Amino acid sequence: MSASTSLLDKKQMESEGIGLLHYVEDRHGGVIVNMEKPMDSKVFSSLLNDSLSHWREQGKKGVWIKLPLGLSSLVDVVVKAGFRYHHAEPDYLMLVHWIPNIADTLPANASHRVGIGAFVTNSNREVLVVQECNGIFKGTGVWKMPTGTVNEGEDISTAAIREVKEETGIETEFVEVLAFRQSHQSFFQKSDLFFVCMLQPCSFNIEMQPSEIEAAQWMPIKDYADQPFMRDNELFDFVAKICFSKLDGNYSGLKPLPSTTSSGKKTFLYFNHDASHLLT
Amino acid sequence: MSASTSLLDKKQMESEGIGLLHYVEDRHGGVIVNMEKPMDSKVFSSLLNDSLSHWREQGKKGVWIKLPLGLSSLVDVVVKAGFRYHHAEPDYLMLVHWIPNIADTLPANASHRVGIGAFVTNSNREVLVVQECNGIFKGTGVWKMPTGTVNEGEDISTAAIREVKEETGIETEFVEVLAFRQSHQSFFQKSDLFFVCMLQPCSFNIEMQPSEIEAAQWMPIKDYADQPFMRDNELFDFVAKICFSKLDGNYSGLKPLPSTTSSGKKTFLYFNHDASHLLT
């Protein structure tokens, strides 16, 4: 915007979106700027300031700016214009600024990582166990159930099936969540939800993944439970008891029910299937 | 590091940590740099490059750099040195670089936000409900159970008690998680876990929070369930049935048990309390 541009011209240009950053409106009275192409930081700074004035006049609330990793040279400009960080992923940084003079109603950042442990048994009362190449159990000789991280956008049930397949080659069907654990400060300030899941095997021939897994086997459940690391840890010991209780038909966890949210998204509701008569 | 510094001097300085960024070692063979004070970006760039050479020679793996919001001018330097974003919070950005020539074992970013809904009833078979000032139900006249977001580092049970107290002034004790829902793309790419919790009221006099809540009341459970928005949504209808089933003693969810992880952290394990005899 050159200094010679008259106020009227500027207004006209703005009403046509000229001289402003390209943006889309969100459903909460805010706007989203998705920067995709490089821009000189001085030009960007000027456009950003003009855009902010425009959005302020329009009564906009939250302003989101998404900067890909390649445009890291613009981060400082956005922060200097009054924005704060909201969240980041490997390839982008999201910044946000709340315009109104009232407390913001911006959504919180993701706070939890989600993991699964998979309890899989065959008809010989043997449990599927692995020894890991990495992590705290590396080199300890400990046999543990397959575990892994639920990816962003992935269902807990899908993640459990995927991890068992990746680590051991065993195909499974998801049965239910037996229990879950919430812990904090699991990495930096983030919290952790870990779901102990029961799965039913559909195949039995182990083909392990050498990059993550040192060894895998079907192990008698008594030998699994009798390992010192299980007996000495109250939590592990209790979770094993829950699993075995389930195996004997004396426990009910929460089973997934495919469902749809009010906004039409596919979702799973996990509930105690003893109550499935309520569905009819 | 001036050009006149000899290689020997440089090695000596590095072995004493002079001419390097201040860092601490993590438990996974990596290092963490927590930048707290401003630094000229050219000086920072030179120190970072020397530090990276040093860490490479030492066989370090992941290098983490934490930059507070006020040092946004250094973000570009770190990215240009080969780092990517890992995560961000309002007041800082965490960048990471993996040195070895093998696939990285860096922890994933947090992927889920966690929310709660609180089912609270009194002895007259009335349920505690609110009308919200914001959100999709604003101005619809819909009465819903108190809901809210679980903060980073906060227990699900604590969050449920806190939200009920904040929105309605009612003191409660946590009973159990009745069911939970996992959904995706709830905001940008992030996923969502929503826990339906039952709580027992310890007080009954409603004092609502005017900034978030338009109205709050004890409502006969039949009137609550008969609202069109409940009857017309399969998921809401089913969750209400689960809640009422629990009220009648015909449902078991997952109850929290205070516990300790193998690394000594306090945690809660949520399990079906019908199996509490397993604890003895």
Side-chain angles (χ1 to χ4, degrees):
Chain A
M1 191 72 53
S2 81
S4 64
T5 309
S6 77
L7 190 62
L8 190 64
D9 287 348
K10 194 170 158 180
K11 286 257 181 227
Q12 276 173 340
M13 285 169 75
E14 282 180 0
S15 74
E16 290 162 26
I18 302 164
L20 298 181
L21 291 169
H22 180 73
Y23 67 95
V24 293
E25 305 200 340
D26 68 22
R27 292 181 306 164
H28 309 280
V31 298
I32 305 173
V33 175
N34 189 358
M35 289 294 294
E36 287 176 336
K37 291 182 185 158
M39 190 181 283
D40 173 80
S41 64
K42 280 188 184 150
V43 174
F44 175 67
S45 176
S46 168
L47 282 173
L48 177 56
N49 284 325
D50 290 347
S51 301
L52 279 171
S53 304
H54 178 68
W55 296 323
R56 195 170 287 118
E57 276 173 30
Q58 288 202 317
K60 296 297 179 199
K61 294 179 178 173
V63 179
W64 301 87
I65 297 188
K66 183 177 176 179
L67 291 178
L69 187 64
L71 300 189
S72 56
S73 61
L74 303 182
V75 173
D76 193 42
V77 175
V78 181
V79 173
K80 295 284 193 294
F83 285 64
R84 66 166 174 86
Y85 302 136
H86 188 271
H87 68 277
E89 291 301 320
D91 58 346
Y92 76 86
L93 174 61
M94 184 70 81
L95 299 106
V96 71
H97 174 62
W98 180 253
I99 293 178
N101 284 325
I102 51 167
D104 80 62
T105 55
L106 297 167
N109 190 4
S111 53
H112 285 63
R113 293 192 302 169
V114 179
I116 57 88
F119 180 64
V120 185
T121 54
N122 64 19
S123 55
N124 298 329
R125 290 181 74 83
E126 291 172 323
V127 59
L128 184 62
V129 289
V130 299
Q131 290 184 339
E132 290 179 344
C133 299
N134 298 300
I136 54 167
F137 293 120
K138 178 187 172 180
T140 58
V142 159
W143 292 98
K144 55 187 281 298
M145 58 175 83
T147 55
T149 303
V150 177
N151 295 327
E152 211 163 74
E154 187 179 36
D155 290 313
I156 290 166
S157 52
T158 309
I161 292 168
R162 175 183 54 73
E163 285 288 349
V164 172
K165 172 75 179 167
E166 280 178 11
E167 295 195 355
T168 68
I170 301 293
E171 307 270 0
T172 53
E173 275 174 15
F174 191 83
V175 180
E176 66 183 31
V177 167
L178 297 176
F180 68 88
R181 189 193 69 187
Q182 188 192 24
S183 54
H184 304 299
Q185 305 261 341
S186 71
F187 107 100
F188 301 109
Q189 303 307 310
K190 299 296 178 180
S191 300
D192 208 279
L193 277 163
F194 183 83
F195 292 85
V196 180
C197 306
M198 189 185 207
L199 294 93
Q200 185 72 34
C202 311
S203 73
F204 300 91
N205 189 24
I206 292 174
E207 289 174 40
M208 68 168 198
Q209 182 185 48
S211 68
E212 275 190 38
I213 300 299
E214 203 125 274
Q217 66 165 335
W218 291 103
M219 187 182 204
I221 61 169
K222 193 177 173 323
D223 297 352
Y224 169 72
D226 279 350
Q227 296 179 93
F229 105 100
M230 293 289 289
R231 281 203 320 255
D232 297 348
N233 184 300
E234 237 178 52
L235 184 62
F236 292 158
D237 185 54
F238 183 56
V239 168
K241 282 178 179 161
I242 288 175
C243 292
F244 301 155
S245 185
K246 176 72 196 175
L247 203 57
D248 296 331
N250 299 323
Y251 187 88
S252 292
L254 307 184
K255 227 189 216 359
L257 173 77
S259 186
T260 309
T261 66
S262 51
S263 58
K265 277 187 295 190
K266 292 204 170 185
T267 178
F268 280 103
L269 180 75
Y270 292 75
F271 74 103
N272 186 332
H273 67 294
D274 288 351
S276 53
H277 61 277
L278 296 173
L279 276 171
T280 54
Chain B
M1 189 72 54
S2 81
S4 65
T5 309
S6 77
L7 188 64
L8 190 65
D9 287 347
K10 193 170 160 181
K11 285 261 179 225
Q12 275 174 342
M13 284 170 75
E14 281 180 0
S15 73
E16 289 162 27
I18 303 163
L20 298 181
L21 292 169
H22 180 72
Y23 67 96
V24 293
E25 305 200 342
D26 68 22
R27 292 182 307 163
H28 308 280
V31 299
I32 304 172
V33 175
N34 188 358
M35 290 296 294
E36 288 175 336
K37 291 181 184 158
M39 190 181 284
D40 173 79
S41 64
K42 280 188 184 152
V43 173
F44 176 67
S45 175
S46 167
L47 282 173
L48 177 56
N49 284 326
D50 290 347
S51 301
L52 279 171
S53 304
H54 178 67
W55 295 324
R56 195 170 288 117
E57 276 173 30
Q58 287 201 315
K60 295 297 180 201
K61 294 178 178 172
V63 178
W64 302 87
I65 297 186
K66 183 177 176 179
L67 291 178
L69 187 65
L71 300 189
S72 56
S73 61
L74 303 182
V75 173
D76 193 41
V77 175
V78 181
V79 172
K80 295 285 193 293
F83 286 63
R84 65 166 174 86
Y85 303 136
H86 188 272
H87 67 278
E89 292 300 321
D91 57 346
Y92 77 86
L93 174 61
M94 184 70 81
L95 298 106
V96 71
H97 174 62
W98 180 252
I99 294 180
N101 284 325
I102 51 167
D104 82 62
T105 56
L106 297 167
N109 191 3
S111 53
H112 285 63
R113 293 193 302 167
V114 179
I116 57 90
F119 179 65
V120 185
T121 54
N122 64 19
S123 56
N124 299 329
R125 290 182 74 82
E126 291 172 324
V127 58
L128 183 63
V129 289
V130 299
Q131 289 184 339
E132 291 180 344
C133 299
N134 297 300
I136 53 168
F137 293 118
K138 178 185 172 179
T140 59
V142 160
W143 292 98
K144 55 185 281 298
M145 57 174 84
T147 54
T149 303
V150 177
N151 295 328
E152 209 163 76
E154 188 178 37
D155 291 313
I156 290 166
S157 51
T158 309
I161 292 169
R162 175 183 55 73
E163 284 289 349
V164 172
K165 173 74 181 166
E166 279 178 11
E167 294 195 356
T168 67
I170 300 293
E171 308 269 359
T172 53
E173 276 174 15
F174 191 82
V175 180
E176 67 182 31
V177 167
L178 298 176
F180 68 89
R181 190 192 68 186
Q182 187 191 24
S183 54
H184 303 300
Q185 306 260 342
S186 71
F187 107 101
F188 302 108
Q189 304 306 309
K190 298 295 178 180
S191 299
D192 208 278
L193 276 163
F194 183 83
F195 292 85
V196 180
C197 306
M198 188 185 208
L199 294 92
Q200 185 71 34
C202 311
S203 73
F204 300 91
N205 188 22
I206 292 174
E207 289 173 41
M208 69 168 197
Q209 181 186 48
S211 68
E212 275 189 39
I213 300 300
E214 203 125 274
Q217 66 166 334
W218 292 103
M219 184 182 207
I221 63 169
K222 195 179 170 319
D223 296 352
Y224 170 72
D226 280 349
Q227 295 179 93
F229 105 101
M230 294 288 289
R231 279 203 320 257
D232 297 348
N233 183 299
E234 236 178 54
L235 185 60
F236 292 158
D237 185 54
F238 184 56
V239 168
K241 282 180 179 160
I242 287 176
C243 292
F244 302 155
S245 186
K246 175 72 196 175
L247 203 56
D248 295 331
N250 299 323
Y251 186 86
S252 292
L254 307 184
K255 227 188 215 358
L257 172 76
S259 185
T260 309
T261 66
S262 50
S263 59
K265 277 187 295 192
K266 292 202 172 185
T267 177
F268 280 104
L269 180 76
Y270 291 76
F271 74 103
N272 186 332
H273 67 294
D274 288 350
S276 53
H277 61 278
L278 296 173
L279 276 172
T280 54

